[in-house]
Amino acid sequence: MELRLLSLVPDAPLPQRAPASTRPAVPPGYGVQEHCMPFTAACALGLLVPAPFDFGLCLPVELPAGVQGFRAPGPRDAASEDQRLFYVRDRASSRLRANAYSFDPLPFDDERGERAELRPVQPGLSFFERPDQAGLFKLHLPWVLRTPDGIDSLYGPPLNRPAPLELLSGLIESDWYAHPVNLVVRRPATGALHIRAGQIIAQVLFVARDSRRAQVQALSADSADAQALRNDLLRWFVAHRQDRSAYRRLARSKQGRLDGAKD
């Protein structure tokens, strides 16, 4: 599957194809997680999404040098007000200043037929107005991802990797949607949050739209399909008894196979 990605600012950390392994060196011996192909196949799904800039949430005394803290807008209960401040570090190379991006200009012909430009300005972090969503905020990504027809993009936490943010998952019809995705993040209830540019914060998986929903049929115990599955299960037990790595040997896909690993 081919994807098209348009960065809307220069020098933005961009998503990269997810590798099967979650660590640079795999220890020797049987039983390490990289021997589990279902684990590594999941790790290798889709793209890893890096943070586009430095940001965080902490007490005023914990603010990193060179940043300006700010409070999330919206109603607050003074008796229980969170003393922590958000911050976003300017990233001049990506035209991010004071928590606002200046996207690349979009040229068009105006109503008089003259050439003009739209110069979008988008936030880095933004916040919800409703009190019941005060515990959430948005992280805006400065790029657009286009998938083939009928393929959706599912954004969520990294699979089998550290998740520095508590993300809410979102499904985007990315074969036509032409706006940068905004990741919705749950604000930590306590403590500090510090995210650096390039740090992996999410993973995007690709889902065929016609396979979003499935119908499950419970098989009758005496049906032919049930007997066929029992026979497959019996063959699996026999194969696994002969080779503990039978799944890797029998798998129909190369997804999740590590370079140099024996099948």
Side-chain angles (χ1 to χ4, degrees), residues 15-234:
Q16 301 292 330
R17 184 174 176 178
S21 181
T22 61
R23 46 187 172 177
V26 179
Y30 184 83
V32 297
Q33 62 193 30
E34 283 80 5
H35 282 204
C36 176
M37 193 171 171
F39 173 91
T40 55
C43 295
L45 283 173
L47 306 176
L48 296 180
V49 178
F53 49 81
D54 294 0
F55 68 94
L57 173 69
C58 62
L59 293 172
V61 297
E62 299 172 323
L63 286 171
V67 304
Q68 180 66 47
F70 61 93
R71 295 193 180 279
R76 294 188 298 270
D77 182 353
S80 59
E81 183 176 345
D82 191 342
Q83 298 301 311
R84 295 173 299 173
L85 301 177
F86 283 94
Y87 70 86
V88 172
R89 186 183 298 277
D90 287 355
R91 186 178 173 89
S93 62
S94 296
R95 298 198 300 266
L96 175 71
R97 182 177 180 275
N99 191 32
Y101 276 114
S102 296
F103 283 174
D104 292 338
L106 302 174
F108 67 98
D109 293 331
D110 63 17
E111 61 276 5
R112 296 174 296 180
E114 297 179 358
R115 203 61 172 164
E117 287 184 339
L118 177 66
R119 295 179 174 269
V121 176
Q122 296 287 306
L125 300 182
S126 67
F127 304 88
F128 294 91
E129 298 179 357
R130 293 176 54 95
D132 61 327
Q133 294 174 314
L136 304 173
F137 65 94
K138 293 181 182 180
L139 170 62
H140 296 248
L141 301 176
W143 39 264
V144 176
L145 184 66
R146 179 58 52 88
T147 53
D149 289 345
I151 302 297
D152 299 330
S153 299
L154 175 63
Y155 288 80
L159 296 178
N160 299 331
R161 293 180 171 88
L165 300 174
E166 186 179 351
L167 292 181
L168 277 64
S169 297
L171 185 69
I172 305 297
E173 293 187 356
S174 46
D175 55 349
W176 65 266
Y177 187 64
H179 190 276
V181 168
N182 308 323
L183 300 179
V184 178
V185 184
R186 192 177 303 280
R187 179 165 55 181
T190 60
L193 173 68
H194 299 286
I195 302 295
R196 66 184 186 278
Q199 183 176 356
I200 298 304
I201 56 172
Q203 193 159 352
V204 53
L205 314 178
F206 303 105
V207 182
R209 192 169 304 145
D210 58 7
S211 66
R212 281 192 192 180
R213 299 182 63 82
Q215 294 181 346
V216 180
Q217 178 186 4
L219 297 176
S220 172
D222 57 356
S223 67
D225 286 343
Q227 186 58 46
L229 283 176
R230 289 194 191 96
N231 291 337
D232 287 344
L233 178 59
L234 175 61

Side-chain angles (χ1 to χ4, degrees), residues 238-258:
V238 172
H240 191 260
R241 184 178 301 170
Q242 296 172 345
D243 179 2
R244 291 188 299 179
S245 297
Y247 189 92
R248 292 178 56 81
R249 179 168 52 82
L250 298 173
R252 273 65 164 175
S253 171
K254 294 184 180 298
Q255 175 77 12
R257 297 185 190 273
L258 302 183

